[in-house]
Amino acid sequence: MAATSAASAGSAASRGMHPDERAARVQLAACYRVFAMLGWTEMIYNHITVRLPDSVTGGDKQFLINPFGLHYSEVTASNLVRIDLAGQVLDGSSHPVNPAGFTVHAAIHDGLPGAHCVMHTHTTAGMAVACVEGGLSLSNFYAAQLHGRVAYHDFEGVTVHADEGPRLLASIGDRPAVILRNHGLLVWGQTLPQAFVTLWTLQRACEVQLATMSMGRPIPVAQAVAEQCKRDALQFHPAQGAGQDVFDALVRQVDRIDPGYRD
């Protein structure tokens, strides 16, 4: 009965919502469930955020973030929290927002015009590469596709201090994949699927590197070959769908498991 009431309340709220916000909420909630399915979770921590379009906000910079305290498998379209760059809750949500997530994501959404979506993970492979001297090794198929696309940012501790934002932006420049040294992985994209396919490629590069390092010395990829791989990696480009087909395939898997994230 309680679940039915909650679903009804969510449906009632969505009836008065701008359709572009509703679409953004459903897509982002689906992404949280995809991360849960892939095992890219860290208890109740880490974040995926999406900036709401001007059609919803009237030009103000606002974004959706996960309610702090819920596992990714519990995130739904209706319980995502709408906040502004100051971290103020704008949709009446009773859920708290994690300052460590808000600080980094707000800085990127504010400072990078193309950052519609920002993703951050603490996967074992991603953190291992972030903690090793030299970072990502140019020694596998996936790393080669990211040649020249990866930025690094030095560890400054728990990311709750707003003054780190400008330094983070300076470290990122225009590179969509970021290795936060001693910390984890971060990506941003013009769309959620584009950010996702960048993160998936970076995650796979880290997983393969971790496996390779356990076996012996990696075979380096030649710079010229890496440059060619970067040019040929069309899955990142909007003209080629920018990861939409990959993301859609994973959402179909999530829908078969539990489509309740749409509520």
Side-chain angles (χ1 to χ4, degrees):
M1 184 67 176
T4 302
S5 298
S8 298
S11 298
S14 68
R15 282 197 291 271
M17 184 180 293
H18 193 290
D20 291 345
E21 178 175 354
R22 173 64 184 166
R25 284 176 172 273
V26 171
Q27 184 187 56
L28 181 54
C31 191
Y32 275 103
R33 298 300 184 93
V34 167
F35 272 44
M37 182 177 68
L38 295 174
W40 295 356
T41 58
E42 186 82 353
M43 303 288 283
I44 60 171
Y45 302 102
N46 298 163
H47 307 279
I48 315 163
T49 57
V50 162
R51 181 178 165 180
L52 288 166
D54 291 349
S55 59
V56 174
T57 68
D60 293 338
K61 292 180 179 178
Q62 301 173 6
F63 58 98
L64 298 171
I65 192 168
N66 51 315
F68 190 48
L70 298 187
H71 188 266
Y72 281 15
S73 62
E74 298 177 293
V75 173
T76 66
S78 60
N79 67 29
L80 286 164
V81 185
R82 179 175 171 178
I83 61 176
D84 63 14
L85 293 176
Q88 291 184 295
V89 175
L90 304 174
D91 58 3
S93 175
S94 60
H95 291 285
V97 173
N98 184 11
F102 154 73
T103 303
V104 168
H105 289 247
I108 296 173
H109 283 300
D110 186 30
L112 296 176
H116 167 74
C117 179
V118 182
M119 302 176 172
H120 172 49
T121 60
H122 284 179
T123 61
T124 299
M127 290 190 71
V129 170
C131 292
V132 72
E133 190 173 347
L136 189 66
S137 168
L138 189 58
S139 60
N140 67 63
F141 174 80
Y142 297 106
Q145 294 177 58
L146 293 170
H147 180 58
R149 301 179 191 269
V150 181
Y152 291 84
H153 178 66
D154 289 338
F155 186 56
E156 297 189 23
V158 180
T159 52
V160 293
H161 303 289
D163 64 350
E164 185 177 354
R167 294 188 293 276
L168 174 62
L169 292 171
S171 296
I172 292 173
D174 62 355
R175 298 189 174 193
V178 187
I179 294 178
L180 303 172
R181 294 189 189 276
N182 309 103
H183 187 171
L185 306 180
L186 183 146
V187 303
W188 59 274
Q190 297 175 25
T191 66
L192 185 151
Q194 184 186 50
F196 177 82
V197 78
T198 300
L199 180 58
W200 186 89
T201 305
L202 181 58
Q203 171 67 19
R204 286 292 290 141
C206 291
E207 290 171 349
V208 174
Q209 179 174 331
L210 191 60
T212 303
M213 290 171 66
S214 73
M215 298 174 64
R217 186 180 226 169
I219 302 169
V221 173
Q223 289 287 328
V225 174
E227 288 288 348
Q228 186 63 49
C229 285
K230 177 183 176 181
R231 289 192 294 270
D232 290 343
L234 300 178
Q235 74 270 26
F236 303 119
H237 299 289
Q240 302 295 324
Q244 187 70 56
D245 51 356
V246 172
F247 184 70
D248 287 347
L250 291 172
V251 172
R252 290 194 296 272
Q253 290 187 52
V254 168
D255 279 332
R256 287 193 288 271
I257 297 168
D258 176 16
Y261 69 88
R262 296 176 179 274
D263 294 334

